[in-house]
Amino acid sequence: MRTLLKIALVAVSAAVLTTVLLIIVLAGILGMQWSRTFQILSSATGLYLLPAIIFFEFYFLTNDLLAYACRKFELDFGLHFSEIPFKFDLDNLETPIPLRTKLVQLYPLTILLTLLGFVVALITHQ
């Protein structure tokens, strides 16, 4: 039950963060109309893949951020968050990527690059 609650909490947080980011960028910064955006998305269904990637990146970011907070500040929410390990395999030593590096560099960079690709795809479909 705790695992299901942990997954649901992280998934809801990731969905909220994804939605807020897309609203801020599409409506706030670019000034795109929602009807036109949904029209583009319905005509090119492959574009749904990019917000899905952003959602999963926010899922990993939220989970690892909660794991980092639990470890650093000795917080225990009763859910025992643990990081999702990723390995750096270019050196053939299966070196794990440090948690702080993932939180500060890897996840934000991936989210921003995917968001940039989504924005460019929406603008070119207009």
Side-chain angles (χ1 to χ4, degrees):
M1 186 66 180
R2 284 185 179 173
T3 304
L4 186 60
L5 181 63
K6 181 171 46 172
I7 291 171
L9 176 69
V10 173
V12 167
S13 299
V16 168
L17 289 171
T18 303
T19 304
V20 167
L21 179 68
L22 290 176
I23 287 172
I24 288 172
V25 170
L26 295 179
I29 296 173
L30 297 176
M32 294 183 74
Q33 296 177 356
W34 290 111
S35 60
R36 181 67 183 137
T37 303
F38 289 129
Q39 187 178 37
I40 293 169
L41 288 174
S42 66
S43 67
T45 55
L47 290 179
Y48 283 110
L49 181 64
L50 296 172
I53 292 171
I54 293 171
F55 167 76
F56 283 113
E57 288 296 324
F58 269 124
Y59 181 88
F60 295 141
L61 175 67
T62 305
N63 184 66
D64 286 353
L65 189 62
L66 288 170
Y68 179 75
C70 288
R71 185 182 310 155
K72 179 153 177 105
F73 302 113
E74 297 177 3
L75 300 173
D76 188 13
F77 301 115
L79 297 176
H80 309 293
F81 289 98
S82 60
E83 73 173 291
I84 300 171
F86 290 110
K87 299 195 187 290
F88 182 73
D89 197 27
L90 291 178
D91 58 359
N92 293 328
L93 297 175
E94 299 274 332
T95 307
I97 298 173
L99 180 60
R100 185 169 171 86
T101 303
K102 290 190 296 185
L103 292 174
V104 176
Q105 296 173 358
L106 183 65
Y107 295 137
L109 183 63
T110 306
I111 290 169
L112 288 176
L113 288 175
T114 308
L115 182 64
L116 178 67
F118 184 61
V119 167
V120 168
L122 284 177
I123 289 173
T124 58
H125 275 86
Q126 283 189 350

